[in-house]
Amino acid sequence: MNLHQLRFVREAVRQNYNLTDAAKALFTSQPGVSKAIIELEEELGVDIFTRHGKRIRGLTEPGRLVLESVELIMQEIDSLKRIGKEYAAQDSGSFTIATTHTQARYTLPKVVQAFMLKFPKVRLSLLQGNPRQIAEMVQRDQADLAIATESIAGVDNLITLPCYQWEHVVVVPPEHPLLKGKSVTLEDIAAYPVITYDSAFAGRSKIDHAFSLRGLKPDVLLEAIDADVIKTYVELGMGIGIIAGMAFDAERDRNLRAISVGHLFGMNVSRVAVKQGAYLRSYIYTFIELLAPTLNRKLVEQAMRGEHENYEL
């Protein structure tokens, strides 16, 4: 048994059981991958994969258990490599953050700037996607941590901790009738075409749930994946927008006005997520603390050991 065999098994599953794609991803040959997997099955005495002819189609029951062990072993190997790299170079290396557009555009710039001043030798990468996609990036070791709303909480193999709270705002043109009232109701909002986030983003489920409880069905004219697009169409007079409060800047958005609607849709929590059991470089702990000062290294390490599973703001 060797590490190459374990890598081949894991990659075969990641590539949807296509051994040709698995071989390309690992820069080797398809026959070599197939032969190594067969040899591993013979050594274990069980079939890891179900087959149709020479093609693998899925995991057998013992194969699922084998894959779980393979994932744990490969994670420990990755951790060993990172330990070596960290102590060889404490203040340099790579760091990949998976996050949504809203976080990357409005929350992270000052944090990233402060981080790069502390660690100028670190190569920082930002990957963007919806909460489900960025959670998968961390699960697949394509990113070191994820930052998104509470929708990433409860994802398998991820440890998530709350960073900060925020609420939605309604954005409208300067002379809009909604600005004349003391408080906005759901009925008021439902009277206009609505432009807001796609269902995978920024608390959209809370928006939909609030309207549903009141028996209202707003006219959602347009769904977008980021607040900049929403604000652009509101400026064109196509409807009113519902965005995350952090995405409104009175200085930059001079052609719009914001109305707080936290009383209608509730508070949201942005969270940071890391892979359970992963080894984090020391500068990643520093980044997390820059993002949320309450999340010091000791607390994060305790959470990764399962000692703060219910930690909330």
Side-chain angles (χ1 to χ4, degrees):
M1 189 183 302
N2 58 62
L3 290 177
H4 288 300
Q5 293 170 316
L6 305 186
R7 288 193 180 96
F8 293 162
V9 168
R10 181 175 68 172
E11 197 60 37
V13 176
R14 289 183 173 183
Q15 298 297 334
N16 199 28
Y17 308 109
N18 186 315
L19 293 187
T20 300
D21 290 345
K24 288 179 180 178
L26 296 172
F27 304 101
T28 187
S29 68
Q30 186 271 332
V33 171
S34 181
K35 181 173 182 287
I37 290 175
I38 291 172
E39 289 176 348
L40 178 60
E41 289 178 318
E42 289 175 349
E43 182 173 350
L44 295 176
V46 296
D47 288 336
I48 298 172
F49 296 104
T50 59
R51 291 174 171 81
H52 182 74
K54 293 185 178 181
R55 294 181 177 273
I56 63 174
R57 296 298 188 188
L59 287 166
T60 63
E61 185 63 33
R64 281 191 284 271
L65 297 175
V66 169
L67 179 63
E68 290 179 9
S69 292
V70 167
E71 291 285 5
L72 289 173
I73 292 167
M74 298 311 299
Q75 184 170 305
E76 290 301 320
I77 294 297
D78 291 340
S79 292
L80 286 173
K81 291 179 179 178
R82 289 172 185 161
I83 290 170
K85 287 180 180 179
E86 169 150 352
Y87 282 90
Q90 294 275 353
D91 62 349
S92 64
S94 62
F95 178 25
T96 302
I97 300 167
T99 190
T100 61
H101 173 88
T102 297
Q103 303 289 339
R105 171 71 176 80
Y106 296 103
T107 301
L108 293 185
K110 290 183 178 179
V111 178
V112 167
Q113 183 181 41
F115 176 82
M116 294 310 295
L117 287 173
K118 285 179 173 287
F119 302 99
K121 296 179 183 179
V122 173
R123 299 186 305 277
L124 183 63
S125 300
L126 288 177
L127 303 179
Q128 294 183 43
N130 64 41
R132 177 184 58 78
Q133 290 169 334
I134 67 176
E136 289 179 355
M137 291 175 193
V138 176
Q139 288 176 318
R140 291 172 175 263
D141 299 315
Q142 296 167 338
D144 297 294
L145 61 80
I147 305 167
T149 54
E150 59 262 40
S151 56
I152 62 173
V155 175
D156 289 345
N157 300 322
L158 293 189
I159 301 295
T160 70
L161 290 166
C163 297
Y164 58 88
Q165 293 182 323
W166 57 271
E167 61 184 18
H168 287 97
V169 297
V170 167
V171 288
V172 297
E175 305 299 326
H176 198 277
L178 285 182
L179 294 169
K180 297 177 182 178
K182 291 183 178 180
S183 181
V184 172
T185 66
L186 290 171
E187 287 78 9
D188 293 333
I189 295 172
Y192 298 92
V194 172
I195 304 168
T196 191
Y197 295 104
D198 178 86
S199 58
F201 287 85
R204 173 64 189 276
S205 60
K206 287 191 174 182
I207 295 172
D208 293 341
H209 183 63
F211 282 114
S212 177
L213 286 178
R214 296 293 289 271
L216 297 170
K217 190 173 182 180
D219 176 18
V220 179
L221 180 70
L222 178 68
E223 298 177 321
I225 65 172
D226 68 70
D228 291 337
V229 172
I230 295 170
K231 289 185 290 186
T232 296
Y233 284 95
V234 173
E235 287 180 337
L236 292 173
M238 293 183 63
I240 63 174
I242 305 176
I243 63 173
M246 71 190 82
F248 181 81
D249 186 323
E251 285 296 316
R252 293 186 178 183
D253 301 318
R254 295 180 181 179
N255 296 324
L256 296 172
R257 301 291 182 269
I259 305 169
S260 176
V261 287
H263 63 290
L264 300 178
F265 303 124
M267 298 301 295
N268 297 271
V269 178
S270 286
R271 304 182 74 91
V272 61
V274 296
K275 188 173 181 179
Q276 190 171 27
Y279 174 77
L280 302 183
R281 304 285 293 271
S282 60
Y283 54 70
I284 296 178
Y285 288 103
T286 300
F287 179 88
I288 293 172
E289 191 165 356
L290 287 171
L291 178 67
T294 58
L295 298 181
N296 56 51
R297 179 167 184 160
K298 181 179 179 181
L299 191 148
V300 175
E301 289 178 335
Q302 288 174 336
M304 294 185 73
R305 294 195 297 267
E307 297 172 20
H308 276 299
E309 293 182 0
N310 299 316
Y311 173 78
E312 296 296 339
L313 293 173

